Amino acid sequence: MVDKVRIATTSLAGCFGCHMSFLDIDEKLLDLIELVEFDRTPITDIKTCGPCDVGLIEGGVCNSHNVHVLKEFRENCKTLVAVGACAFNGGIPALRNHYELKDCLEESYINGIGIENPQIPNDPEVPLLLDKVHPVHEVVSIDYFLPGCPPSAEAIWTFLNELLSGQEIVLPYTALHYD
Amino acid sequence: MAQQIITIDAQEVPFQEGQTIMDAAMSAGVYIPHLCHNPEFKPQGSCRLCTVEVNGKRMAACTTKAIPGQEIQNNISALQENRRALIQMLFVEGNHICPGCPKTGNCQLQAVAYYVGMLSSHYQHFYPYRELDASHPNYVVDFNRCILCELCVRASRDVDGKNIFGISGRGIKSHLVINSTSGKLGDTDFNVDDRAALVCPVGAILRKRLRYTTPIGERLYDQQPINVVGDSTQPHAGAKKQW
Ligand code: SF4
């Protein structure tokens, strides 16, 4: 049996939309599983990333845990791919970059509408938020970008096929979009 | 007047005396990427996207007169790479969060970025803080997305005769300002029928309440690239039809 390509995926400061879009390749998942095996991903629930051929990163970087996971992926994945609009430039979570972190926390947990028992969460289990949300390329080097909010299942499928077969990545015009 | 000829990427392009390289290219249907140019207004050559090689020298196509015998390189990788870098700089200098912008799919910045194959913003983002001006009953100005093309400035000054918009500051501090004592659009005589209300190539000057009349996916640049469908000329961010 030929060695399968090992893939890891994660969602950092994203909404899991890119992962949902990935699952939207539907029955092609059966074709994919012939070629790849999954390492750390929300699908396998493996908690740490081992040596992999490909890592897919959804989401930007908004807290200390995101930085840790992103670095772990970079150290373990030969090819690292930034998937989606948030990985690309921070996306919707980066809208908070206009405001002071303190103001965001106070609005959410103290002054916002309908809040009972107002307090800012400080459990040591909760990762510390970064001052700003960053796109992944500002933290580690990235080999490929697949923009889109989310990239369509078709775009993800075409991308993976081309990547796995060692072809140049060429997406049709309608598959490249930032929204 | 006799027609004369220049070549753009080895294609013969006729022009009339007095026309710029951009004018000649537009009349011949040859696409040279641009953002601050709109043939209705006096060219100003500020975005530099239309930089081409004229007999080996780099010049802005929108401000350089066509002269017989010019051999022009336009669609070559060295220039496309420069254009990509310029677009990436525009992306990181402002706040261009496409999934949250009503102009998405009808936006010329996005469309040119697709055309030059931009896959990442590459540079470090500035994430500047810029206020939004929603003081006008029918329009909102989102300064986060302004790319300083000065089309609204030229339209308001040269066509509407109102001088409502201007650019203040220098270099990286340049920013769009509104000419009223409060600095708010609501305190000007800006009107929905103004030419300046229709020219913004990005989502900075937006008509209120009509932003999502065309679904995402059916907008100008969703199916076809800008070199095929041309500049964005919708009456408002969500419109399908062009005026
Ligand atoms: S508001 Fe729009 S038209 Fe005016 S300078 Fe900015 S980008 Fe150009």
Side-chain angles (χ1 to χ4, degrees):
Chain A
M1 197 187 95
V2 237
D3 275 351
K4 287 187 173 179
V5 172
R6 243 185 127 69
I7 295 192
T9 78
T10 188
S11 176
L12 307 177
C15 70
F16 268 91
C18 294
H19 275 81
M20 296 309 290
S21 196
F22 184 19
L23 293 181
D24 276 344
I25 67 174
D26 296 333
E27 75 281 2
K28 295 198 194 86
L29 273 172
L30 300 176
D31 299 336
L32 187 66
I33 214 73
E34 295 293 318
L35 303 172
V36 309
E37 60 192 351
F38 287 103
D39 192 273
R40 174 182 176 154
T41 125
I43 306 163
T44 56
D45 210 23
I46 296 173
K47 302 294 185 203
T48 52
C49 179
C52 281
D53 299 292
V54 180
L56 305 179
I57 308 283
E58 165 191 332
V61 181
C62 82
N63 63 31
S64 54
H65 184 246
N66 294 160
V67 177
H68 171 82
V69 174
L70 183 56
K71 287 188 170 165
E72 178 189 289
F73 267 67
R74 181 66 280 181
E75 276 158 24
N76 284 288
C77 301
K78 288 188 203 140
T79 302
L80 200 59
V81 187
V83 182
C86 303
F88 170 89
N89 70 354
I92 300 294
L95 291 174
R96 84 151 155 95
N97 289 353
H98 300 349
Y99 307 97
E100 296 295 324
L101 178 58
K102 186 167 171 285
D103 294 339
C104 295
L105 287 169
E106 286 178 356
E107 180 61 25
S108 298
Y109 295 106
I110 307 225
N111 305 322
I113 296 164
I115 289 171
E116 285 172 29
N117 186 17
Q119 55 176 313
I120 293 176
N122 66 351
D123 190 296
E125 291 263 314
V126 179
L128 284 176
L129 290 174
L130 304 182
D131 190 34
K132 300 281 176 212
V133 179
H134 297 273
V136 291
H137 75 257
E138 289 185 11
V139 182
V140 298
S141 69
I142 299 290
D143 301 301
Y144 289 99
F145 290 84
L146 182 58
C149 185
S152 65
E154 183 208 329
I156 295 174
W157 176 243
T158 309
F159 178 88
L160 284 177
N161 263 307
E162 290 173 340
L163 186 71
L164 297 182
S165 59
Q167 293 173 44
E168 188 190 349
I169 312 271
V170 188
L171 293 174
Y173 177 79
T174 47
L176 170 63
H177 55 95
Y178 308 140
D179 58 4
Chain B
M1 199 175 297
Q3 272 202 340
Q4 316 190 66
I5 299 285
I6 53 176
T7 65
I8 302 181
D9 295 332
Q11 178 187 337
E12 290 197 345
V13 172
F15 70 95
Q16 310 278 346
E17 196 166 329
Q19 280 193 312
T20 61
I21 295 172
M22 181 66 87
D23 294 332
M26 281 186 142
S27 328
V30 173
Y31 177 66
I32 302 177
H34 55 272
L35 281 171
C36 74
H37 185 67
N38 176 325
E40 267 185 69
F41 309 103
K42 191 166 174 274
Q44 63 171 22
S46 62
C47 76
R48 311 316 281 181
L49 276 174
C50 72
T51 299
V52 288
E53 283 186 9
V54 185
N55 300 335
K57 207 171 158 208
R58 293 196 174 179
M59 323 270 271
C62 71
T63 52
T64 306
K65 288 266 181 286
I67 297 173
Q70 280 170 337
E71 285 179 18
I72 295 158
Q73 307 288 320
N74 168 40
N75 194 359
I76 57 172
S77 59
L79 290 175
Q80 293 295 66
E81 275 164 32
N82 277 356
R83 288 167 183 157
R84 198 179 311 143
L86 286 172
I87 297 276
Q88 286 167 326
M89 288 186 240
L90 287 174
F91 261 82
V92 301
E93 274 174 33
N95 294 305
H96 300 279
I97 311 286
C98 300
C101 177
K103 184 87 171 191
T104 191
N106 281 337
C107 169
Q108 226 170 293
L109 175 65
Q110 219 180 33
V112 180
Y114 296 154
Y115 177 77
V116 297
M118 184 183 96
L119 293 175
S120 85
S121 44
H122 185 77
Y123 301 106
Q124 191 169 346
H125 282 255
F126 291 21
Y127 296 119
Y129 179 68
R130 300 186 194 152
E131 293 276 355
L132 193 105
D133 178 355
S135 59
H136 192 278
N138 295 313
Y139 271 84
V140 56
V141 183
D142 189 340
F143 297 92
N144 289 295
R145 308 192 187 115
C146 175
I147 55 168
L148 304 173
C149 69
E150 292 191 48
L151 282 170
C152 59
V153 177
R154 284 175 276 171
S156 184
R157 183 190 60 212
D158 304 339
V159 181
D160 305 328
K162 293 187 178 176
N163 236 337
I164 288 173
F165 299 98
I167 304 291
S168 178
R170 286 188 173 274
I172 197 65
K173 298 212 168 109
S174 308
H175 61 285
L176 184 73
V177 288
I178 292 165
N179 186 7
S180 67
T181 26
S182 62
K184 296 278 184 210
L185 192 68
D187 294 326
T188 67
D189 56 352
F190 185 77
N191 188 284
V192 291
D193 301 321
D194 284 2
R195 194 66 195 84
L198 302 172
V199 290
C200 184
V202 296
I205 301 181
L206 290 169
R207 179 87 186 256
K208 289 182 179 174
R209 295 175 290 277
L210 291 173
R211 291 172 293 174
Y212 290 99
T213 45
T214 307
I216 314 280
E218 290 176 23
R219 295 180 169 205
L220 183 63
Y221 302 121
D222 284 341
Q223 303 299 327
Q224 287 187 295
I226 188 163
N227 58 316
V228 175
V229 292
D231 291 350
S232 113
T233 51
Q234 286 79 9
H236 55 81
K240 190 171 205 169
K241 250 190 32 234
Q242 316 215 9
W243 35 264

